Amino acid sequence: MIIFPNRDAVIKNIQKNVANKEYNKKVEIDDPQMTTKESINRINEYFRKRATPIGKVKNLCARAIYRGVTWVENRHTEVVGLENLTALDRKKGAIITTNHFNPLENTVIRRFMNKAKLHKRLFIISQDTNLAMKGLVGFLMNNYDIIPLSKSINYLGQTFPKILKKIINDGNYVLIYPEEEMWFNYRKPRPLKRGTYFYAAKINAPIISCFVELKDLPSFEPNTNDTIHRVKAIVHVLPVIFPDPNKSAKENSLRMMEQDYNQKKEAYEKAYGKKLTYDFEPEDIAGWVGPNADKK
């Protein structure tokens, strides 16, 4: 998995947020910042460029890069629970949810889709600030199949659900992280935010519920001074969650969110053999050689 700098500071932020019971709060440092107006301007420019011939070429390039990265990063990745997709209508798309622990964890989901023979495009919901990133990551954020998320009420209430509905109705898949912020290599499923499930209910989209288990490998990530082991991902595919046509969007969103959290919680407890609590322990960060741990 890709390793950004400042992991020690990020892990300290995770510890602080856990102590404060703020499980959806940002922990990364030096992320780009922008106002709502800047966000909408950048998002409009993003979609304008994507519709141009050069934008379409760049999209093909970005997708090719992701296919290569998916192969390189997931040679050890396992997928279990594919039998839970039996009830899924493969002619229609779906929303995929999983725990949010690494910038390239979406390649783990791409690996799962390949194993499940879900041969459609995977779109990823990403914060608007990621469009301001530089270098290769910035190129991918601006040219891959990204759906940016803004704090604009009008965008969230009008534009965003229309984009989501079209993608789903075209038979494609959308990866959304209901934990919101990425917590580096954090093993535990965190409390979920309701927005994902409200949109799913509004557009009548099923939820493919996933939980990614992380196992430490003997080797270390480069440029981490032997403090971060590489990790192996195991994708647990959980029962698909469908909206109830007899319930309102609000009722469905609450029910679907609760079911998704409970499934992820149960998957965590089975995978790691212990009850889920939010007391911080060094092993909560996969691969991390904590302050009192011996290097493997």
Side-chain angles (χ1 to χ4, degrees):
M1 282 292 174
I2 189 170
I3 299 292
F4 283 119
N6 306 313
R7 292 305 90 189
D8 288 342
V10 167
I11 291 170
K12 286 181 180 178
N13 284 340
I14 292 175
Q15 291 176 276
K16 178 182 176 181
N17 288 352
V18 168
N20 293 333
K21 296 181 170 44
E22 296 176 314
Y23 304 114
N24 309 105
K25 188 176 179 180
K26 182 182 289 292
V27 298
E28 292 294 322
I29 61 177
D30 299 328
D31 274 0
Q33 302 291 326
M34 63 178 67
T35 65
T36 300
K37 182 178 180 180
E38 290 170 336
S39 166
I40 292 302
N41 288 340
R42 189 174 284 272
I43 288 174
N44 288 339
E45 182 66 4
Y46 166 78
F47 284 120
R48 185 192 69 78
K49 287 183 177 179
R50 285 293 302 271
T52 65
I54 186 65
K56 293 176 181 179
V57 170
K58 286 183 176 180
N59 174 250
L60 291 174
C61 291
R63 287 160 62 188
I65 291 172
Y66 257 106
R67 283 194 295 272
V69 173
T70 297
W71 182 83
V72 170
E73 289 289 337
N74 292 278
R75 286 170 291 179
H76 302 291
T77 296
E78 296 180 20
V79 179
V80 297
L82 290 177
E83 65 277 5
N84 284 316
L85 297 179
T86 304
L88 186 69
D89 181 359
R90 292 174 180 248
K91 295 180 181 179
K92 185 179 178 182
I95 291 173
I96 302 173
T97 67
T98 189
N99 39 324
H100 196 11
F101 59 89
N102 191 283
L104 287 182
E105 81 227 354
N106 58 78
T107 67
V108 174
I109 299 303
R110 286 182 60 86
R111 173 63 173 163
F112 143 62
M113 288 181 63
N114 291 338
K115 293 281 287 185
K117 295 181 171 53
L118 299 176
H119 298 312
K120 284 287 190 172
R121 287 166 72 175
L122 175 66
F123 290 79
I124 303 166
I125 303 300
S126 178
Q127 291 186 7
D128 50 6
T129 52
N130 289 334
L131 297 177
M133 288 186 171
K134 306 296 183 182
L136 177 60
V137 174
F139 174 82
L140 293 174
M141 289 294 103
N142 281 275
N143 294 286
Y144 187 60
D145 290 337
I146 297 295
I147 308 173
L149 202 59
S150 171
K151 291 183 174 63
S152 165
I153 300 300
N154 184 64
Y155 179 81
L156 291 175
Q158 301 294 326
T159 307
F160 181 75
K162 290 179 182 177
I163 295 171
L164 205 59
K165 185 174 183 178
K166 184 179 188 310
I167 290 171
I168 297 295
N169 287 346
D170 287 345
N172 297 306
Y173 296 84
V174 179
L175 174 60
I176 306 182
Y177 301 110
E179 296 175 339
E180 289 193 347
E181 296 292 342
M182 183 189 78
W183 281 21
F184 170 71
N185 277 16
Y186 190 68
R187 283 187 160 113
K188 294 177 177 178
R190 291 177 276 142
L192 310 176
K193 305 294 278 188
R194 190 165 66 92
T196 297
Y197 309 94
F198 182 78
Y199 285 121
K202 287 286 286 185
I203 66 175
N204 193 33
I207 298 282
I208 299 177
S209 173
C210 296
F211 174 73
V212 179
E213 174 189 356
L214 301 174
K215 287 192 173 183
D216 296 5
L217 295 174
S219 57
F220 289 95
E221 291 283 0
N223 304 316
T224 62
N225 297 318
D226 290 355
T227 60
I228 305 289
H229 286 272
R230 291 187 64 82
V231 298
K232 169 185 175 178
I234 302 175
V235 183
H236 295 265
V237 184
L238 311 174
V240 178
I241 305 169
F242 295 92
D244 185 338
N246 298 314
K247 295 183 182 296
S248 69
K250 181 179 179 180
E251 290 171 327
N252 265 314
S253 65
L254 291 169
R255 178 188 62 82
M256 295 169 79
M257 178 179 68
E258 181 180 16
Q259 183 177 342
D260 200 12
Y261 177 77
N262 287 337
Q263 290 182 178
K264 287 172 167 56
K265 176 177 179 287
E266 182 179 358
Y268 167 86
E269 292 177 344
K270 286 183 178 180
Y272 295 107
K274 59 182 179 181
K275 290 291 184 181
L276 174 64
T277 72
Y278 291 109
D279 300 321
F280 184 84
E281 300 170 315
E283 56 264 33
D284 291 345
I285 310 298
W288 183 45
V289 179
N292 300 315
D294 294 326
K295 294 179 182 178
K296 298 180 182 177

